[in-house]
Each structure stands twice: as structure tokens, then as C-alpha cells.
Amino acid sequence: MWIGWIELDLLLGDVHSLKGKRSVVRPLIAEIRRRYDVSVAEVAHQDLHRRAGLGVGLVGADRAHVVSVLDGVEQFVAYRPDVELLAARRRLISADD
């Protein structure tokens, strides 16, 4: 069993309030969840209107599958025109660790 997660640090585009931030972050979270079938949540910068921190995690039987899904999520967010990906930190652990 493999457990993988990625933390995404995002700079939001033309957002001027927390309400505006919500209108960008909620659809992004929903699309990641729908497209990649992973757990995802806003985990950092909740009080800043132009920054967001997302955490994405999954469990899989195969390391290659977990890496592939995390790569896909990172690329999907990186190519979004309404957000800028500032940093992506990932971690993989095995049940044997």
C-alpha cells in the first residue's frame, strides 16, 4: 500500500475578497476531486484572499499509480489560467516504512 500527498501553494489572480477567493477555490477543489478521485481540501492561507494552500491525498496499491495521479493533479493546477502555482511539495510513503 502506498500513501501519497501533495501540498499546492497557489497565488490567485484577480481576487479582491475572501468571497472572490471562494468562487475560485471551490470549483478548483471540485474539479480536482471529480477528475482524479482524490481527497482534496484547502489547508493553508484561509485568511488571505489572494493565496490558497491545497492538500491532495490518495492511497493506492501501486507506487507508479500514486505518482501518476499526483503528477496529473500538479499539471492540472499549474496550467490553470486563474491561479499561479508557487510551490508543490509531495510525499510518498509505503505501508512498510
Side-chain angles (χ1 to χ4, degrees), residues 18-94:
L18 291 175
K19 186 175 180 180
K21 174 185 180 177
R22 204 168 43 246
S23 71
V24 173
V25 173
R26 278 189 180 170
L28 178 60
I29 288 173
E31 184 63 20
I32 291 170
R33 189 174 286 137
R34 185 193 68 76
R35 195 178 275 226
Y36 296 98
D37 195 25
V38 294
S39 297
V40 58
E42 185 178 3
V43 296
H45 308 301
Q46 286 98 340
D47 58 338
L48 301 175
H49 68 276
R50 292 216 48 228
R51 295 284 298 274
L54 300 183
V56 179
L58 73 146
V59 175
D62 182 17
R63 181 185 190 281
H65 172 71
V66 172
V67 169
S68 173
V69 171
L70 294 178
D71 286 344
V73 170
E74 184 176 352
Q75 289 176 359
F76 173 73
V77 173
Y79 291 111
R80 298 276 303 205
D82 52 347
V83 299
E84 180 182 345
L85 180 59
L86 299 176
R89 293 171 298 281
R90 67 171 66 191
R91 181 87 191 264
L92 291 169
I93 60 172
S94 168

